[in-house]
Amino acid sequence: MALRPRLDVRRSWRPGHAPSLLVIPVGLIVAVCVVDVLAPPHIHLGPLLVAAPALTVAFAGARATALIGALAVAAQVLIGALRGVLATANIMAQIAALIIVSVVCVTICVVRDRSERQLLRVRSVAEAAQSVLLQPLPPQAGPLRIAGLYIPAEQEADLGGDLYAAARTVHHSTRLLIGDVRGNGLAAINNSALLLGAFRAAAHRQATLPRLAVHLDAALRWDTSQWRSPAEQDINEDFATAILLDIPDREPVVHLITCGHPPPLLLRGNHLTPLTAEASHLPIGLGGAFGIAAYDVQTFPFEVGDLLLLYTDGVIEARNVDGLFYPFTERAPQWTKDDPDELLRRLQDDLLAHVHGHLGDDAAVVAIRRLAI
């Protein structure tokens, strides 16, 4: 659930995607012809025809622009013939100028369309990478109904430093990860991919959550420090806040380890309870050196009908134009009766309305409802 529908709508208004607007330059050509022919001899509107191909560049491709340019040239010739001044130097200069402007406009369209095709190819590769790295969450995992939402801060981006993943275990439970990698750009995407890969490789077979936390921490620390000199080993700026959860199929509880991440929200009816752990451990990449014993697993009730919301700080720290934070804990209870997918759709619309469509940071949310035991 990214902003794909919104991006598709916005893309349809890019150059070359609004052929119905060709009525504007055609109408301009007709109007100039009629007025110029009917106007007194000392009034000449022919030079205005140059606006027709210039306008067409904004919303049509090279072929349509060439067609409008040809119509404009033909209109200029027609005006000169009807007025009996076609052979004059003034009309010839206007026709030549119109031809040159039309050729320039067509050239601009060709270059622009080529760049757009390259951009679309790059976007297709990015979307393929996103589908591999940030795979959609399963809609059903045992007795759980799950939905995920990812909203990138950059409108044309599909992936950033926020991440989530889920895995089934041989112990009949569902394990989930939600995290937020420090920084942005390629470094954040690289660390996100590393954590997601490490989680998917180990979540189903690690016996305990502490072992999984140590595994993730060690994977991130090793990958980010293996090429550093000994003097740089103690300077580690690569880390990720995260929460690891294990939800048994046959017990009405949720087990979790918090590593510097905002606490999940448990919604029971209209009542909201933050699942604040007694101890928040160091972020992934900074704390695993202390060993398995350093991680405390917290257990909270998670009964049939309960809804669990996991999120990143891009949600709770989203500000509107007045600098006010998004009231997540106030809005969430309004949607507890909704299906997780519908809840996230409502949340997405409400969050984007709060920030007027411009997030300052990536935002990710996972909604989980227990259906049975």
Side-chain angles (χ1 to χ4, degrees), residues 4-88:
R4 192 67 56 209
R6 298 173 66 91
L7 290 176
D8 288 343
V9 171
R10 186 169 56 250
R11 188 180 296 122
S12 68
W13 286 96
R14 288 178 180 171
H17 291 272
S20 61
L21 294 179
L22 287 175
V23 67
I24 296 176
V26 171
L28 175 63
I29 293 173
V30 172
V32 169
C33 283
V34 172
V35 174
D36 201 304
V37 170
L38 298 179
H42 63 280
I43 296 178
H44 302 281
L45 298 182
L48 292 178
L49 290 171
V50 75
L55 287 173
T56 309
V57 174
F59 50 78
R63 292 181 179 179
T65 303
L67 174 62
I68 295 298
L71 289 177
V73 172
Q76 185 68 77
V77 172
L78 177 62
I79 291 172
L82 293 177
R83 285 200 164 207
V85 292
L86 181 60
T88 63

Side-chain angles (χ1 to χ4, degrees), residues 102-189:
S102 298
V103 170
V104 171
C105 290
V106 171
T107 303
I108 291 173
C109 285
V110 171
V111 174
R112 183 202 62 208
D113 291 347
R114 183 181 303 166
S115 299
E116 282 196 340
R117 287 193 295 270
Q118 292 176 346
L119 178 60
L120 288 175
R121 285 195 292 268
V122 171
R123 282 190 59 84
S124 66
V125 173
E127 290 171 357
Q130 180 196 23
S131 65
V132 172
L133 297 179
L134 193 65
Q135 298 176 5
L137 293 173
Q140 190 89 22
L144 305 178
R145 180 72 177 172
I146 305 175
L149 168 68
Y150 185 89
I151 308 177
E154 296 294 334
Q155 293 182 344
E156 297 299 332
D158 291 317
L159 189 63
D162 289 6
L163 58 102
Y164 51 68
R168 290 287 291 173
T169 74
V170 296
H171 306 291
H172 303 289
S173 69
T174 301
R175 285 188 173 168
L176 296 109
L177 163 70
I178 186 166
D180 186 358
V181 174
R182 175 193 176 276
N184 49 43
L186 292 178
I189 294 175

